[in-house]
Amino acid sequence: MKHIVIIGGGFGGVNLAKQLSNKERFAVTLVDKNNYNFFPPLMYQIATGFLEVSNICYPFRKLFRNKKNIRFHMGEFVELIASENKVILSTGELQYDHLVFATGVYTNYFGMENVKRNALPMKNVSDAIVLRNHILQMLEIASVTKDYAERDRLLTVVIAGGGPTGVEISGMLADLRKFVFSKEYHEISGKGLEARIILVDGMDVLLKPMSDKSHADVLLTLTEMGIDIRLNMQVKDYVDNTVIFANGDEIATATLIWAAGVTGGEFKGIPAGAYDRGKRLSVNEFNCIKGFSNVYAIGDTCIQKHEVSFPGGHPQLAQVAIQQGTNLGKNLLAVEKGQPMKPFKYWDKGSMAIIGRNKAVVDLPNKMHFRGFIAWMMWLFVHLMSLVTQRNRVTTFYNWLIAWFTKDQALRMIIRPEEKPVSKL
Amino acid sequence: MKHIVIIGGGFGGVNLAKQLSNKERFAVTLVDKNNYNFFPPLMYQIATGFLEVSNICYPFRKLFRNKKNIRFHMGEFVELIASENKVILSTGELQYDHLVFATGVYTNYFGMENVKRNALPMKNVSDAIVLRNHILQMLEIASVTKDYAERDRLLTVVIAGGGPTGVEISGMLADLRKFVFSKEYHEISGKGLEARIILVDGMDVLLKPMSDKSHADVLLTLTEMGIDIRLNMQVKDYVDNTVIFANGDEIATATLIWAAGVTGGEFKGIPAGAYDRGKRLSVNEFNCIKGFSNVYAIGDTCIQKHEVSFPGGHPQLAQVAIQQGTNLGKNLLAVEKGQPMKPFKYWDKGSMAIIGRNKAVVDLPNKMHFRGFIAWMMWLFVHLMSLVTQRNRVTTFYNWLIAWFTKDQALRMIIRPEEKPVSKL
């Protein structure tokens, strides 16, 4: 019986576990700091009130209920003692035969402490809820304040990061402004005021990794939606409700959404030489970490270079994580049967980004490109099918249906659970 | 144009606003510290993971979208300056022609500071989420801890308060234990361990205000569900994970749920003589506060005595708040037309409490009594219809349907939004 420990229950970790489920010779322990899996591509919809948390989250214990050989252990990684095949967690220790890091990435503030302290990241469910609360709160204060400078700051949102996250959240905010804001915030809309949405990026195009056609489409569409796009602009600081750029420009705002960079995690017990750029763990073609024989990494947290096809490693996308998880699972099973491992080969199924109510951009590998309504339908379908359970699909679809028909969302509640400090046990 | 200010958007406040909606001569401002209305009778279902927040909450701005004469103002009461017909809020000041307190009640800790600090209350949505997180967290820690004394503390839940809230949450926890716990927490269930659920109350019966038949039914049903019921037990303290009773008994537990008492709010600017027992505001038969001519109170926060029918005031129930809100609304309209006000007369439609999956108790005014499945169907129907919007009804019904068929709930996510301190504006 081989014990596989997987740290992280995202796309990579869950797919790896699925490959090994109900396989008698394997006992799997999945470790995660949260007790649920969530679906990052749709998180910005929690942040803008179109979806509820439960639409895109699912508890691990429920997910693995019928898988006899998979256990869930809630906790965080603390240290790796590779010489003893042991990993120490915040809630105990585990011995392993194989250990897999599927930990994803974290928000990168590029050393800017004020940005880290004051901006709103968008990497997990907590972030999304905090952002939702913040935006709603700002609107409520703006409705009643008599200080006009304050009101301008409250009605200005700056989004840093022109990747899919930044683009998607800008689009949704623009829809909110058009369909909801004017109807329900009479105190502030239509009085010569405007809620400004400003999307900034250090690059010269939005959605850099996508095709030129996608670059052109997204720029045009977002501009038509009334979003102020400022390219070649690098954020340098965010303090006293002012975003300061490298070129000296400033924008006064109470809301800076930070979707401008990611970085891998640092793991005590893994030597510095195993990391590559972006703090990604260097792995070989079987996803085994450099310098180890039974410790692996899959998904965003690793970098696997292929001389011809991906000399700089794969893009940090869900599909890569899913496929690497599946491949590693099959490889571990193969080894158990005395068969050789297969190197990982990424099957690029294309990429897509949603822009607004009816609009998206899709690039398929054969250089096909779609935009507008048909791209949007494709985006909806792929994301709905990628959700981890049928229940998630039904409830997400229901919320989308309602939102689409009513041009609105109803999930705009500011919920702030005020936690008591948990008594020391 | 008369300006009505309503402090509090619960059952009473919302129904009063509805009466005055689209009435030209009235401008209504509804004030609430939250930006949404929520439905207290179903809150324990958020706490136990059967319902999601959005099923029973609805944003005020959306609620009043088509009511041209109703505004929402988010904020908390600070002070009343009755001589100037002015009320000061945390977010501004409002002048009024009529002011209505519809503020409900708050958790009463009877002066026990440790209980206030360490126990988990159950009065609003934040409380429900904190409780849900706490229970799930305790189970996860129990799954991995090697300290048996700690594990016992984690697997023991004490509920203080034998009213509907305490009874309902005990029943739901028992269902969780029976249908979910054993299937998903293999590390701790079925190993000679037991998750203990202990319901305590200082009285000699549960659901004291209900009929003798209800007392008997609820005691029998809860006991059959494996809940340990201890009556005539008064909590004196809760410290070091130990509940201490007045008679000297102690129970070691990491979870004390406090549903044992309520108290009205204290309002600066209202003299002490206007309060009665339980800090409830004394009002006359038109819900006007003693000593005032244009300041009113409705719902749980007031006490209105009727010599024959309700010498001690009405029970603090949703129906009373709803009816008082409606009556006051009609009275304010009548006065505007030069007609006399009508005194409030409570139409007792009966009371009900749910006990578990298929069980409830219902007392109707004509001394009719129902229990079991038919009572449960009545309970479901009444609560579904009482939800404030169609959307809430559909989504709540969906979640109940799934929970009932699967004997389970899927909303068991620990979500802890870690708020950054909001920059001083």
Side-chain angles (χ1 to χ4, degrees), chain A residues 287 297-299 302 304 314 320-328 344:
Chain A
N287 282 89
I298 55 174
C302 76
Q304 190 188 71
H314 300 100
V320 176
I322 291 167
Q323 293 177 26
Q324 285 183 344
T326 304
N327 191 62
L328 180 57
F344 176 69

Side-chain angles (χ1 to χ4, degrees), chain B residues 198-218:
Chain B
I198 307 172
L199 174 61
V200 305
D201 195 277
M203 299 269 176
D204 55 347
V205 286
L206 300 170
L207 302 177
K208 180 92 179 169
M210 290 185 79
S211 67
D212 291 340
K213 281 189 196 155
S214 285
H215 295 159
D217 288 336
V218 71

Side-chain angles (χ1 to χ4, degrees), chain B residues 6 8-9 13-14 17 28-32 60 64 70-74:
Chain B
I6 308 172
V14 165
V28 180
T29 300
L30 186 109
V31 178
D32 199 293
F60 287 118
F64 300 135
I70 303 182
R71 277 187 58 229
F72 170 67
H73 182 125
M74 186 160 145

Side-chain angles (χ1 to χ4, degrees), chain A residues 125-162:
Chain A
V125 174
S126 287
D127 292 344
I129 294 179
V130 170
L131 180 53
R132 180 174 76 187
N133 287 352
H134 179 96
I135 290 173
L136 293 172
Q137 178 91 331
M138 296 299 107
L139 287 175
E140 288 300 336
I141 299 172
S143 298
V144 298
T145 184
K146 306 245 181 288
D147 178 341
Y148 294 148
E150 180 184 45
R151 197 168 57 185
D152 283 344
R153 285 197 297 273
L154 292 167
L155 294 181
T156 301
V157 178
V158 176
I159 301 113

Side-chain angles (χ1 to χ4, degrees), chain A residues 35 52 54 61-62 65 116-117 119 126 140 184-185 391 399 408 412 414 416 419-420, chain B residues 35 52 54 61-62 65 116-117 119 126 140 184-185 391 399 408 412 414 416 419-420:
Chain A
N35 71 332
E52 184 57 85
S54 59
R61 287 192 181 270
K62 205 161 150 65
R65 177 184 270 217
K116 182 172 183 176
R117 193 177 310 123
S126 287
E140 288 300 336
E184 293 185 13
Y185 290 85
R391 187 204 174 98
N399 270 320
D408 193 2
R412 288 178 279 121
I414 299 174
R416 275 186 296 267
E419 293 226 25
K420 287 184 157 58
Chain B
N35 72 330
E52 184 57 85
S54 58
R61 287 194 180 267
K62 205 163 150 63
R65 177 184 271 216
K116 182 172 182 175
R117 193 177 311 122
S126 286
E140 287 300 336
E184 292 183 14
Y185 289 85
R391 188 208 173 94
N399 270 320
D408 192 359
R412 289 178 277 121
I414 300 174
R416 273 186 296 267
E419 293 226 27
K420 287 185 156 66

Side-chain angles (χ1 to χ4, degrees), chain B residues 10-54:
Chain B
F11 282 121
V14 165
N15 275 282
L16 170 57
K18 277 185 178 174
Q19 284 297 310
L20 303 172
S21 68
N22 295 328
K23 297 285 189 271
E24 276 179 10
R25 292 197 199 167
F26 290 92
V28 180
T29 300
L30 186 109
V31 178
D32 199 293
K33 62 186 176 234
N34 294 311
N35 72 330
Y36 56 88
N37 161 274
F38 69 94
F39 189 67
L42 288 179
M43 224 161 42
Y44 72 96
Q45 292 206 15
I46 293 182
T48 46
F50 281 85
L51 286 182
E52 184 57 85
V53 163
S54 58

Side-chain angles (χ1 to χ4, degrees), chain A residues 18-214:
Chain A
K18 277 185 179 173
Q19 285 297 311
L20 302 173
S21 69
N22 294 329
K23 296 285 189 275
E24 276 179 10
R25 293 196 196 167
F26 289 92
V28 179
T29 300
L30 187 110
V31 178
D32 199 294
K33 60 185 177 234
N34 294 311
N35 71 332
Y36 56 88
N37 160 272
F38 69 95
F39 190 68
L42 287 179
M43 224 162 43
Y44 72 97
Q45 292 206 16
I46 293 182
T48 46
F50 282 85
L51 285 182
E52 184 57 85
V53 162
S54 59
N55 296 141
I56 65 170
C57 294
Y58 210 74
F60 287 117
R61 287 192 181 270
K62 205 161 150 65
L63 203 54
F64 300 136
R65 177 184 270 217
N66 298 322
K67 319 273 193 222
K68 297 278 166 269
N69 66 330
I70 305 183
R71 277 186 57 231
F72 171 66
H73 183 125
M74 186 160 143
E76 288 191 62
F77 172 91
V78 171
E79 186 176 356
L80 172 62
I81 317 240
S83 53
E84 296 177 38
N85 280 345
K86 185 160 79 175
V87 60
I88 298 176
L89 310 169
S90 55
T91 52
E93 298 180 359
L94 295 171
Q95 291 288 139
Y96 60 82
D97 292 295
H98 300 277
L99 175 69
V100 184
F101 283 88
T103 40
V105 283
Y106 304 83
T107 308
N108 189 351
Y109 297 98
F110 302 99
M112 293 185 276
E113 282 304 313
N114 284 329
V115 174
K116 182 172 183 176
R117 193 177 310 123
N118 301 325
L120 296 160
M122 263 295 294
K123 208 72 195 74
N124 56 45
V125 174
S126 287
D127 292 344
I129 294 179
V130 170
L131 180 53
R132 180 174 76 187
N133 287 352
H134 179 96
I135 290 173
L136 293 172
Q137 178 91 331
M138 296 299 107
L139 287 175
E140 288 300 336
I141 299 172
S143 298
V144 298
T145 184
K146 306 245 181 288
D147 178 341
Y148 294 148
E150 180 184 45
R151 197 168 57 185
D152 283 344
R153 285 197 297 273
L154 292 167
L155 294 181
T156 301
V157 178
V158 176
I159 301 113
T165 302
V167 163
E168 288 170 347
I169 209 170
S170 308
M172 278 253 154
L173 287 174
D175 278 347
L176 241 160
R177 177 175 62 181
K178 179 172 175 185
F179 294 114
V180 174
F181 182 64
S182 52
K183 295 201 178 81
E184 293 185 13
Y185 290 85
H186 305 121
E187 305 92 330
I188 40 181
S189 70
K191 288 181 165 47
L193 284 176
E194 209 175 272
R196 293 192 299 163
I197 302 169
I198 307 171
L199 176 61
V200 305
D201 195 276
M203 299 269 177
D204 56 346
V205 286
L206 300 170
L207 301 176
K208 180 90 181 170
M210 291 184 80
S211 67
D212 290 340
K213 281 188 196 154
S214 286

Side-chain angles (χ1 to χ4, degrees), chain A residues 306 310 314-315 317 319-320 323 344-350:
Chain A
H306 292 250
F310 293 98
H314 300 100
L317 296 175
Q319 270 304 316
V320 176
Q323 293 177 26
F344 176 69
K345 187 170 174 3
Y346 177 47
W347 173 24
D348 185 354
K349 297 184 184 177

